[in-house]
Amino acid sequence: MDEVRRHLEFHPGIDPEPFQTHIQKFTESGAILRDTWCYPRGGGQPGDTGYFELNATKYHFDEVTASVTGGETSIIHPLENDGLGIGMEVKVHIDVNRRNSLASMHSAAHIVSAAANERWGAITVGNQLGVDSSRIDLKFEDRDLFNVETLEEDVNFWVDNNSRIKIHEWGRDKILTDERVRNKRFVSRIIDRLGGENPMLRMVEIEGIDLCPCAGTHLASTGPIGGVSIDRVQNKGKGTFRLHFRNEKSEEIDNL
Ligand SMILES: [Zn+2]
């Protein structure tokens, strides 16, 4: 398991606890910790925000990012380092409401992608999650067949179904021979990019509807998403629609 991306170890990826760690170094952009459970921006999911606690003082950090130098990944916590120093032990608090909302949105996004693929063979070509609103770009063979009300119904069927969301670590053969995995050409490219003998991929399964590689944070089941409404559909040309959707419960998910 990746030692710096510790958020990968946790599923469901909600209600992250505060954790103690040491400051390893500072870059121009912020602090690098010895280890971190913060989610760094990636895969369309914004990074965590939060604060370090040291001697009853709070040092807020902006959206966490990952930077790769010489093949090595560092997780950057952007903040002013006045009063902080290398080697200091800090308690890191992740903004729980933001994380929970994004985990809910992210789980909803899987269902939107999978439901559009299931019904029309649409391929997801882009996505950007937000706390209040998210978007997903779907490419259709025949865009005229697409109907947004049908998609919204399909998505909410899977939300109401309260399907379990599970995480697996699988190798190439297991992934590419599982008929539930959609868009194998895309998945195969991800595996090739990882390289190595038999790279293991983190697979996210939403029982009955979706199975795909993903490093994001998710709920334990789909029910707590509450409901998904698709507010706007934009024509992006070349058979692609951009869907803007909301998650009705994303503000309240921390109260579950
Ligand atoms: Zn995901």
Side-chain angles (χ1 to χ4, degrees):
M1 183 58 71
D2 192 326
E3 281 172 16
V4 286
R5 291 174 181 265
R6 307 211 75 164
H7 76 270
L8 292 169
E9 296 170 28
F10 285 89
H11 176 70
I14 55 169
D15 299 328
E17 303 259 335
F19 58 95
Q20 296 279 146
T21 189
H22 290 85
I23 296 174
Q24 195 171 61
K25 69 176 185 185
F26 289 102
T27 70
E28 277 179 15
S29 329
I32 296 175
L33 301 174
R34 188 190 59 194
D35 50 4
T36 184
W37 276 259
C38 293
Y39 182 79
R41 183 198 304 157
Q45 180 174 337
D48 285 326
T49 58
Y51 64 92
F52 297 172
E53 183 188 342
L54 177 69
N55 301 330
T57 303
K58 292 177 180 178
Y59 300 86
H60 288 270
F61 58 87
D62 291 332
E63 187 187 354
V64 173
T65 59
S67 101
V68 183
T69 326
E72 216 169 282
T73 305
S74 302
I75 309 293
I76 314 283
H77 307 71
L79 83 176
E80 301 289 331
N81 64 1
D82 289 354
L84 294 171
I86 291 167
M88 284 180 174
E89 186 176 14
V90 291
K91 190 169 190 181
V92 183
H93 299 257
I94 295 172
D95 182 334
V96 171
N97 287 345
R98 173 185 162 93
R99 161 70 81 84
N100 289 357
S101 295
L102 290 168
S104 179
M105 273 289 198
H106 195 139
S107 307
H110 277 261
I111 303 176
V112 174
S113 289
N117 181 266
E118 183 74 22
R119 193 172 280 277
W120 296 287
I123 302 291
T124 296
V125 292
N127 72 89
Q128 181 58 54
L129 305 174
V131 171
D132 297 319
S133 178
S134 298
R135 62 176 161 80
I136 211 156
D137 294 345
L138 297 171
K139 191 172 171 57
F140 294 82
E141 285 269 309
D142 182 353
R143 213 179 48 177
D144 293 341
L145 298 177
F146 173 63
N147 178 289
V148 67
E149 284 84 20
T150 306
L151 179 60
E152 202 175 78
E153 272 172 31
D154 287 354
V155 169
N156 284 301
F157 168 82
W158 288 106
V159 170
D160 294 344
N161 195 53
N162 200 21
S163 299
R164 281 206 300 160
I165 303 179
K166 301 191 290 191
I167 304 290
H168 311 285
E169 292 284 330
W170 285 357
R172 176 193 292 271
D173 291 349
K174 189 158 174 60
I175 294 168
L176 296 181
T177 55
D178 193 311
E179 58 190 26
R180 296 170 300 168
V181 176
R182 301 167 198 272
N183 199 355
K184 289 216 170 54
R185 198 151 24 122
F186 168 72
V187 177
S188 181
R189 276 209 302 272
I190 294 179
I191 299 171
D192 289 345
R193 219 182 304 147
L194 283 173
E197 190 91 332
N198 184 23
M200 300 300 277
L201 216 51
R202 184 182 196 249
M203 299 294 288
V204 174
E205 177 183 3
I206 303 185
E207 276 184 340
I209 180 70
D210 194 33
L211 181 58
C212 70
C214 185
T217 61
H218 308 84
L219 306 177
S221 65
T222 63
I225 293 170
V228 171
S229 58
I230 301 170
D231 301 334
R232 194 151 64 99
V233 179
Q234 282 175 284
N235 184 346
K236 299 301 284 181
K238 295 183 183 158
T240 304
F241 281 131
R242 173 166 292 177
L243 275 53
H244 298 260
F245 64 94
R246 280 172 195 281
N247 170 352
E248 287 157 21
K249 278 267 186 72
S250 62
E251 298 293 317
E252 306 161 24
I253 201 129
D254 52 312
N255 299 326
L256 293 168

